[in-house]
Amino acid sequence: MEGTDPVLIVVNDEHVHLSDLLRALQAADDLSLLHRCARQRLILQLALRKGLSVGPEDLQAEVDAWRYQNRLERVEDTDAWLAQRGLTLDDVARQVECRLLEASLAQKATEGRIEPYFMQHTLDFDEAEVCWIHVADEGMAEELRMQITEEGVAFHNLARRHSQDEATRPAGGYLGRLRRRHLPKGIAPLVFAAAPGELTGPLKIEKGYALYLVQHIYPATLTGDVQQEIRNRLFKTWLKREMRRARIAFPFLKSLKLPNREAPTIGRNAIG
């Protein structure tokens, strides 16, 4: 049985077989590794179908970049790294080629779709630079609002003294540049409608009340980063559709006769 059920791991002389791993994955309902392998194979098939390929210069450049990223500039270091993992440089090159083909396939699959998507979803890419004060009590939130608007007390000073959000309190409540989806439901329209320097709130949130100070509004622009984000979204949706259309099965799980190994007995005492 050793030939069809190889040992994958040895822990204190105890062998963990392929069947043990498969049982564990199936029991945990986690076949993500197999799905990733199927996804990669489908990407290669789709890239071939669309006539995509990777030139030797591009492949070499990416392999070199991989070596530099892993601090493997010297040939001896590269050989040692590969030997330790039982790999060859060809194995690395194949993975690099897959990544390059996936990027090319994403370009091909989303060609002409980036700008229309951006026009239809412009609000998704607006950003607001926001600070906040988070407190548990509505009365406290209202008192802080009055101190800011009527007494001229600095928002950031009050945030450092009173906000319950430990992550942002030291920075005067600074949340950063946020999109609508990063704000609690129902609050984003109010924040994005505010003028820079305007205070919004108190507003009810999941755990208490919040005051928001808008420092700046950044209208959406189709930058290179935004284009890549949209391409990733569109490609993910496109590839999901292709995965559903493809005939993907895992016959190995059914055909392999998994031996019954000894398992610990679970009785009432063990449960309770």
Side-chain angles (χ1 to χ4, degrees):
M1 187 64 186
E2 199 70 24
T4 57
D5 193 20
V7 175
L8 299 182
I9 309 168
V10 179
V11 181
N12 293 327
D13 297 326
E14 180 182 354
H15 291 180
V16 179
H17 291 257
L18 173 61
S19 60
D20 298 321
L21 174 63
L22 292 174
R23 274 202 180 91
L25 292 176
Q26 288 180 301
D29 195 21
D30 181 11
L31 297 179
S32 56
L33 177 61
L34 300 182
H35 284 287
R36 285 200 300 271
C37 291
R39 177 185 183 277
Q40 185 181 79
R41 182 57 55 181
L42 179 61
I43 285 174
L44 294 175
Q45 292 177 2
L46 294 170
L48 179 64
R49 193 180 303 166
K50 291 184 178 295
L52 301 175
S53 62
V54 177
E57 298 84 2
D58 292 335
L59 183 59
Q60 184 63 57
E62 285 298 313
V63 171
D64 290 342
W66 168 83
R67 290 178 58 194
Y68 295 141
Q69 182 180 359
N70 289 277
R71 299 181 179 178
L72 302 173
E73 290 89 350
R74 298 191 310 163
V75 174
E76 308 86 65
D77 294 336
T78 302
D79 291 341
W81 190 94
L82 294 169
Q84 185 180 18
R85 293 160 176 78
L87 298 172
T88 68
L89 198 56
D90 285 341
D91 295 323
V92 173
R94 276 193 289 271
Q95 289 302 310
V96 169
E97 183 181 24
C98 288
R99 289 202 302 270
L100 292 174
L101 285 173
E102 180 172 349
S104 296
L105 186 62
Q107 291 271 1
K108 192 79 171 177
T110 60
E111 193 173 9
R113 300 174 58 196
I114 305 294
E115 290 190 12
Y117 183 95
F118 177 76
M119 296 300 294
Q120 294 172 11
H121 301 85
T122 302
L123 294 180
D124 291 351
F125 301 98
D126 288 336
E127 292 182 342
E129 194 169 30
V130 181
C131 299
W132 80 329
I133 299 175
H134 173 212
V135 294
D137 182 68
E138 184 178 11
M140 170 63 79
E142 184 61 37
E143 171 62 26
L144 294 175
R145 186 193 69 80
M146 292 178 62
Q147 289 185 38
I148 295 167
T149 58
E150 298 182 13
E151 301 175 23
V153 180
F155 178 97
H156 303 293
N157 291 339
L158 292 177
R160 291 187 186 96
R161 292 207 303 267
H162 299 287
S163 181
Q164 296 183 354
D165 181 27
E166 295 182 5
T168 61
R169 187 172 60 222
Y174 184 71
L175 283 168
R177 288 176 60 158
L178 305 178
R179 292 183 182 170
R180 285 173 170 81
R181 70 174 185 270
H182 298 141
L183 291 163
K185 186 177 180 181
I187 290 178
L190 301 175
V191 169
F192 276 85
E198 184 178 344
L199 186 67
T200 301
L203 299 174
K204 182 73 176 73
I205 59 175
E206 184 178 356
K207 296 181 179 179
Y209 293 83
L211 296 168
Y212 290 92
L213 175 66
V214 177
Q215 294 188 326
H216 198 84
I217 298 291
Y218 299 89
T221 55
L222 191 57
T223 63
D225 288 343
V226 170
Q227 289 185 50
Q228 186 59 50
E229 183 180 347
I230 293 174
R231 178 174 290 109
N232 291 342
R233 287 188 190 183
L234 293 173
F235 181 62
K236 183 178 180 180
T237 301
W238 178 84
L239 189 58
K240 276 186 178 180
R241 185 171 64 248
E242 293 299 321
M243 291 281 286
R244 288 195 297 268
R245 290 175 176 173
R247 299 184 302 276
I248 298 175
F250 304 107
F252 184 72
L253 295 176
K254 296 179 180 180
S255 65
L256 180 63
K257 296 184 181 299
L258 302 180
N260 290 319
R261 305 190 189 284
E262 269 190 35
T265 302
I266 302 177
R268 293 184 181 274
N269 292 335
I271 296 175

